[in-house]
Amino acid sequence: MSTKKIDYVFTPSFENLSKLGEPDEIVNAYAVLLSNQAYEAITRFKKSSEYLFKYIEEKLFAQLEISKQVLTYCCPDDISALIGDKKKKGLLQPQKILIIARNLLDYGVAGKAKIRISQRNENKTYSSEFKITDYINNARIHLGLSLDDAKKLTMTEYIMLMANKYPDKDGFTREEYDKTLADYEKRRRERLAKAAE
């Protein structure tokens, strides 16, 4: 008896992630996947109760359901053998499904590109919406991509392409600033120590 090997390819493209819903629903899905509410509840309450178990079960169930949606939307193939369906369990453990979904959203929504960003251009604001159409339109306008090519980008690719076209050369990055400050403080302490001798 031989078993057939199947490769699954998951792509967290703008087009695939748009299937999660409206811009605020995408951010909410990402927030649910990143949430540690179930773990916090376990560690916070010393006494177990039926309410606590129900609360934890609800949070974990919500994370698993969204994780399955993310995997389903990011793969063109039928992945029910991996994640299961109403009739049977899948090959992947729930924790692995959650980890894969988190990574897909990290690459597709937040972006995992290591690029140079000066302190003055750091974006420290939180957005309650992930407006995919804005990124698609920016990719078409600034990068000259077709609509189909822009839809196939992940946020990581988008960030890397935009950084390549418009490099950030203004000022220090946070790491450069911290290193320069630490070097200055070290030299200052050495000068003070020599002066005290």
Side-chain angles (χ1 to χ4, degrees):
M1 180 171 101
S2 66
T3 56
K4 185 179 174 186
K5 182 181 175 186
I6 302 172
D7 291 327
Y8 295 97
V9 177
F10 296 93
T11 308
S13 66
F14 292 144
E15 182 175 33
N16 290 341
L17 293 180
S18 70
K19 297 171 190 171
L20 284 170
E22 296 298 318
D24 62 317
E25 293 173 313
I26 296 168
V27 171
N28 287 339
Y30 195 26
V32 168
L33 289 189
L34 294 178
S35 170
N36 284 328
Q37 289 176 324
Y39 175 75
E40 288 169 4
I42 292 168
T43 56
R44 179 189 245 176
F45 297 100
K46 303 296 179 210
K47 281 188 169 182
S48 299
S49 70
E50 188 176 319
Y51 168 77
L52 177 62
F53 289 128
K54 187 172 184 193
Y55 176 83
I56 293 168
E57 188 177 87
E58 285 173 3
K59 296 301 176 189
L60 295 176
F61 180 79
Q63 284 185 320
L64 184 59
E65 287 304 301
I66 290 173
S67 296
K68 287 180 177 182
Q69 284 180 352
V70 170
L71 267 63
T72 300
Y73 296 149
C74 289
C75 186
D77 302 316
D78 177 12
I79 60 166
S80 57
L82 287 179
I83 63 172
D85 55 31
K86 293 187 194 304
K87 296 176 185 173
K88 65 178 183 174
K89 290 178 90 172
L91 296 171
L92 292 175
Q93 295 295 321
Q95 189 61 28
K96 289 195 177 179
I97 294 171
L98 176 62
I99 290 168
I100 294 169
R102 281 180 177 167
N103 279 300
L104 288 170
L105 289 187
D106 281 344
Y107 280 90
V109 175
K112 295 288 278 185
K114 291 279 187 189
I115 59 168
R116 184 183 193 288
I117 301 175
S118 65
Q119 283 180 289
R120 96 174 47 151
N121 293 327
E122 282 181 356
N123 184 0
K124 297 175 184 166
T125 60
Y126 168 81
S127 177
S128 62
E129 295 181 319
F130 181 60
K131 295 181 181 176
I132 289 175
T133 54
D134 290 353
Y135 292 104
I136 291 171
N137 289 334
N138 282 338
R140 292 177 69 198
I141 293 165
H142 296 288
L143 301 170
L145 298 178
S146 69
L147 177 60
D148 283 341
D149 288 340
K151 285 180 180 179
K152 291 176 184 164
L153 289 176
T154 66
M155 180 55 83
T156 301
E157 293 168 326
Y158 172 84
I159 290 169
M160 289 169 51
L161 290 170
M162 291 297 277
N164 190 40
K165 179 144 188 174
Y166 304 106
D168 185 355
K169 296 178 181 172
D170 295 340
F172 286 123
T173 64
R174 178 147 320 274
E175 292 81 19
E176 291 167 344
Y177 176 81
D178 290 344
K179 184 180 180 328
T180 301
L181 186 61
D183 290 346
Y184 170 77
E185 285 297 321
K186 181 181 173 190
R187 286 192 308 271
R188 188 176 73 80
R189 283 192 302 273
E190 287 170 355
R191 280 195 309 266
L192 290 171
K194 278 185 182 179
E197 290 175 355

